[in-house]
Amino acid sequence: MTRVSLEEKVLQANDNIAQNLRNMFTNNQVKAINLISSPGAGKTTLLEQSIEQLANQYGIGVIEGDVLTTRDAERIAKLNVPVVQIETKGTCHLDAQMIAKAISQIPIDKIDLLMIENVGNLVCPSSFDLGENAKVVVLSIAEGSDKPAKYPQIFTKATACVLNKIDLLPYSNFDIEAFYQDIKRINPKLKVFELSATKGIGIESWLNWLKGMISNGGQEN
Amino acid sequence: MHEIALAQNIIVIVCRNAEASNLQRVTAIGVAAGELIGIVPDALEFGFKVSAIGTLAEDARLEIRHIPALIHCESCNHKYFWHNSGYHCPSCSYNGGKLIEGNEFFVEYIDGHDGEEETS
């Protein structure tokens, strides 16, 4: 028997493409955000709100990831920003190759911010680098306060967390103290934005964070 | 089920390295997987079995070495497991240590037979 010893990263191919994307974003002075959440946490509504508030000051491009349908891209297209829909046809996450293919349809030299909405899934997308500056995890009140403890990988890797549907807090058993205790333990550096994307509550500090990201270096990943 | 995608990546790496080393058949593959990669070993093995059909690695056993996530406390120098404590140091209660192990995911060895052994 022969043993071949090596140390080759399983995701090296993905990471190489992600690094090329990162270079491309840097060269074009584009900041990229990778939005990750369970299905139905409100990523698309958060995007709509953010675009409506920021599109008069900044160029924004969007890549939408879903297993099927172009419904999200149709929603975003109504806001008159460049958008590409990736239909993964079953794959539970976006990878760097998919972004590399989709990015050719975005006028990268005309945008300041690229928002990538990952496939709704709190597990798999956390493993794949897309060349983004920051991963943002979106959690909605209705999902329960125990999610960071149950799905810690994404909360560990994220730079920021949007705690969405905060208007539902009085009607749910979401334990906000337990949530912050878990976050403090899992990722004490995580920035948390409590907001309601549909009601527009608390959206200001989120927008300010995005603006800060766009205007400074923002190399947080 | 991103394990299938990961298994396919493993097979590409294994076949390229096995061919370069003139292995005719691969019998075992060692993979090191950090805790924060979040793979499910059973799902990875299943994805591997399905994806390896028709390749040099078809009959290979996947040997997964789990690497627990380890945190280094920047305040008191203590090292502790993330699984139990997250980033909260059990020794001095400092929040926000540094991850020193647990994000790895790589192929570390390939066992196999080369052509000469095959005939013996």
Side-chain angles (χ1 to χ4, degrees):
Chain A
M1 194 206 62
T2 309
R3 168 160 291 192
V4 181
S5 294
L6 63 156
E7 193 169 316
E8 189 162 337
K9 283 167 77 180
V10 174
L11 287 169
Q12 191 64 58
N14 184 80
D15 292 352
N16 291 346
I17 300 168
Q19 191 52 50
N20 290 342
L21 286 168
R22 188 165 281 122
N23 294 343
M24 183 211 277
F25 298 151
T26 308
N27 292 341
N28 287 280
Q29 291 174 311
V30 170
K31 296 295 178 306
I33 303 270
N34 182 1
L35 275 177
I36 297 173
S37 82
S38 311
K43 291 186 298 301
T44 313
T45 306
L46 179 69
L47 270 179
E48 288 173 323
Q49 277 284 348
S50 308
I51 293 166
E52 275 177 22
Q53 304 286 334
L54 295 177
N56 57 350
Q57 296 172 59
Y58 303 101
I60 302 176
V62 177
I63 295 178
E64 281 287 345
D66 276 299
V67 171
L68 275 180
T69 83
T70 56
R71 290 180 193 188
D72 279 357
E74 287 159 23
R75 282 171 63 180
I76 300 297
K78 286 184 184 150
L79 303 171
N80 295 317
V81 295
V83 55
V84 183
Q85 177 80 49
I86 298 173
E87 282 184 274
T88 66
K89 313 272 185 195
T91 304
C92 53
H93 58 269
L94 296 179
D95 63 33
Q97 180 62 46
M98 297 177 195
I99 303 299
K101 211 172 145 195
I103 199 72
S104 61
Q105 297 170 58
I106 300 269
I108 190 88
D109 52 331
K110 292 194 177 66
I111 65 169
D112 306 296
L113 179 66
L114 176 68
M115 306 279 264
I116 303 168
E117 181 178 337
N118 220 306
V119 178
N121 180 336
L122 217 45
V123 183
C124 312
S126 72
S127 296
F128 294 85
D129 184 4
L130 305 180
E132 71 274 344
N133 294 86
K135 288 181 172 65
V136 174
V137 58
V138 183
L139 179 72
S140 63
I141 290 295
E143 291 167 65
S145 45
D146 55 355
K147 293 304 169 288
K150 286 183 170 174
Y151 301 89
Q153 279 87 3
I154 181 55
F155 288 90
T156 301
K157 291 177 181 173
T159 307
C161 169
V162 169
L163 186 55
N164 194 21
K165 309 189 189 179
I166 198 73
D167 52 315
L168 299 182
L169 193 57
Y171 313 105
S172 76
N173 60 359
F174 192 98
D175 184 340
I176 201 142
E177 267 179 45
F179 166 79
Y180 279 108
Q181 262 170 19
D182 282 339
I183 290 293
K184 204 173 160 194
R185 191 174 59 83
I186 294 165
N187 183 355
K189 290 172 188 145
L190 189 70
K191 293 181 187 68
V192 179
F193 300 100
E194 295 179 17
L195 59 84
S196 164
T198 50
K199 299 278 195 313
I201 302 165
I203 198 125
E204 274 307 311
S205 52
W206 158 249
L207 294 175
N208 286 337
W209 183 76
L210 282 178
K211 288 178 193 171
M213 180 105 192
I214 296 167
S215 54
N216 73 31
Q219 298 289 345
E220 301 200 45
N221 196 1
Chain B
M1 277 304 287
H2 67 311
E3 279 83 356
I4 287 192
L6 300 176
Q8 288 165 347
N9 283 359
I10 291 173
I11 289 163
V12 169
I13 291 168
V14 166
C15 289
R16 173 163 33 79
N17 284 283
E19 277 167 27
S21 303
N22 290 318
L23 298 183
Q24 304 292 314
R25 198 162 63 85
V26 177
T27 54
I29 298 158
V31 173
E35 187 171 2
L36 291 184
I37 294 300
I39 61 147
V40 181
D42 285 349
L44 186 64
E45 280 169 31
F46 173 74
F48 176 78
K49 233 177 239 175
V50 173
S51 312
I53 294 170
T55 73
L56 281 178
E58 181 161 4
D59 299 317
R61 195 173 57 253
L62 201 59
E63 296 171 349
I64 303 169
R65 180 167 69 90
H66 175 76
I67 303 176
L70 194 65
I71 310 293
H72 175 230
C73 177
E74 289 165 324
S75 173
C76 75
N77 248 348
H78 184 61
K79 285 177 189 165
Y80 58 93
F81 289 114
W82 172 85
H83 190 81
N84 303 325
S85 310
Y87 284 85
H88 181 80
C89 178
S91 173
C92 75
S93 293
Y94 175 75
N95 272 316
K98 217 175 174 151
L99 181 79
I100 49 175
E101 273 178 28
N103 234 344
E104 308 80 355
F105 192 26
F106 58 90
V107 180
E108 51 186 353
Y109 60 84
I110 303 166
D111 287 343
H113 296 290
D114 58 29
E116 287 165 29
E117 283 175 272
E118 195 71 13
T119 54
S120 64

